[in-house]
Amino acid sequence: MPVISIIGPKGGIGKTTLSINTAAALTRSLGNSLTHDSVCLFDLDLRLPTISSILESHPQKTFYDLFETLANKTYQVDFLQSIYRILTIFQANLDKEIKRDHPQLEKGLALYKTLNMELFHFSEFPFGNELHELFLERSQIYTVGQIRTLRPILKKIDMVQFKQILKKHEANSRPTADEYINYIEEFKFSLLGGEVPILGKRNHRKRINEPAFLLLFLEFVNDLIERFNYVILDTPAGGVNHLSSLMNSIDQVLFIFDMSNNIAVNGSIDALHSFIDYYEDFYEDYRQGRLSGLDKAYVNRMIASKGEAAVTETLANKKFGIIFNRCQKSGEIANCLDQLREYLDTLDRFDEYKDRIHLVGMVPHHKIINITNNRGTLFYDKDSALSNCINLVAENIISENEFSPTLSNSNDEILQFLQKNGKGSWMSRFNRIASSLG
Ligand SMILES: Nc1ncnc2c1ncn2[C@@H]1O[C@H](COP(=O)(O)OP(=O)(O)OP(=O)(O)O)[C@@H](O)[C@H]1O
Ligand SMILES: [Mg+2]
């Protein structure tokens, strides 16, 4: 299940355009072995998702609905379950069924102290007032011995009724994955994500900052992406602030280098370097067992589902690739490569990363590609030279970069590779495309 994330520092450099076309090219490359679960294009832009309108394909349920379900059902039930656990343990202690030094009691107390009550809808449940009271008291409770002071509140809560309510809410509390997967017959890949700007709603903006809620979202997303053979993530400019834990699941990070101006190129080089920093910190924290908060919780769940070796492998072998977009002259790629090598060298990173950073494709600046005429965004198959450019990216994804050059190769070798394609005619057409720009 390779997960490929397309990222870039700036808005408008072609992340979405290249994500969509890469998904189309992957679908084509997989040819006969294609099933509904082969390729998934995932719009991770929670602020302003665009792909579903670009492709004119509307999911049965959007991620906005997902947020609503997770917040109003899943989160509430998980919270109730936690309270039920806490109450049962505390009660057992008060009834002297378990002793003070019982490890469950320590755990129950820790859960009670740390549970985030911010997003729980107390008023929607019978005995909501009592539960609220229970949480207000927790600032006074530090030791297992002090649990007995909660006795009067615990007495007011009928555990049999609690269990019944819990059961009633448990049914139907999880979102159904199938409703969020939008298989598009015309393109033969699936689309995940929204069409409604989730973070436009204040409550959702609040939720996205709550680790416990975000974990629910990430878990659901992770289950969804595990179904597919290939997943292309389209990220918003500057990355996905809240979803950094997804780092664990990404196998290959593709940086878009916008060649249309020098400032954009400098920005991309800088972004690549910052990402490496960020990645190294994350990996080091993981190895030293220092991850905290959401990252830690997510890693633990991943380990539980895939095993530690697989999680370590994904992190240790994360691949970095570069796609040059909006190219006009091949000379500018050579310049950019020199600049990148020099930059990494100055930062003492070149030797370590020169064989890990692959050059996987280039796409010319082309008037066919035009998001204002939505359908133009999916240029794959509309122009054979452009399609071949994207085929190269797809082939590198499938071959896991076995054949693509790295920064260790010479500029000539890299350019030769980027200019080659199935039909060997890319360079001649490239010049024609560049000169037709007017
Ligand atoms: N190679 C290209 N030639 C011509 N136009 C292009 C090319 N690549 C992208 N564009 C155009 O640039 C604009 C921005 O592209 P796109 O939306 O894919 O960028 P983005 O990086 O996803 O932006 P955002 O950060 O806002 O999500 C679009 O109008 C698109 O059609
Ligand atoms: Mg975009």
Side-chain angles (χ1 to χ4, degrees), residues 15-17 45 50 234-237:
K15 299 177 293 293
T16 300
T17 309
D45 197 334
T50 49
D234 175 28
T235 61

Side-chain angles (χ1 to χ4, degrees), residues 20-29 368 375-384 386-392 394:
I20 293 174
N21 289 282
T22 302
L26 258 179
T27 306
R28 178 64 61 86
S29 303
I368 283 188
R375 301 295 269 195
T377 308
L378 182 62
F379 59 74
Y380 188 75
D381 244 5
K382 298 216 171 72
D383 176 285
S384 65
L386 284 175
S387 300
N388 282 330
C389 296
I390 299 293
N391 282 337
L392 190 62

Side-chain angles (χ1 to χ4, degrees), residues 10-17 237 325-326 364-366 369-371:
K10 263 168 55 4
I13 60 174
K15 299 177 293 293
T16 300
T17 309
N325 189 26
R326 293 174 185 261
H365 184 82
H366 197 304
I369 311 172
N370 180 3
I371 223 162

Side-chain angles (χ1 to χ4, degrees), residues 190-210:
S190 295
L191 179 60
L192 284 185
E195 48 180 5
V196 185
I198 298 168
L199 298 184
K201 180 167 166 173
R202 183 193 287 166
N203 279 344
H204 285 337
R205 282 202 298 275
K206 221 157 119 190
R207 282 171 189 135
I208 197 95
N209 290 317
E210 294 291 343

Side-chain angles (χ1 to χ4, degrees), residues 230-244:
Y230 291 94
V231 181
I232 308 286
L233 304 178
D234 175 28
T235 61
V240 209
N241 277 351
H242 300 97
L243 307 180
S244 66

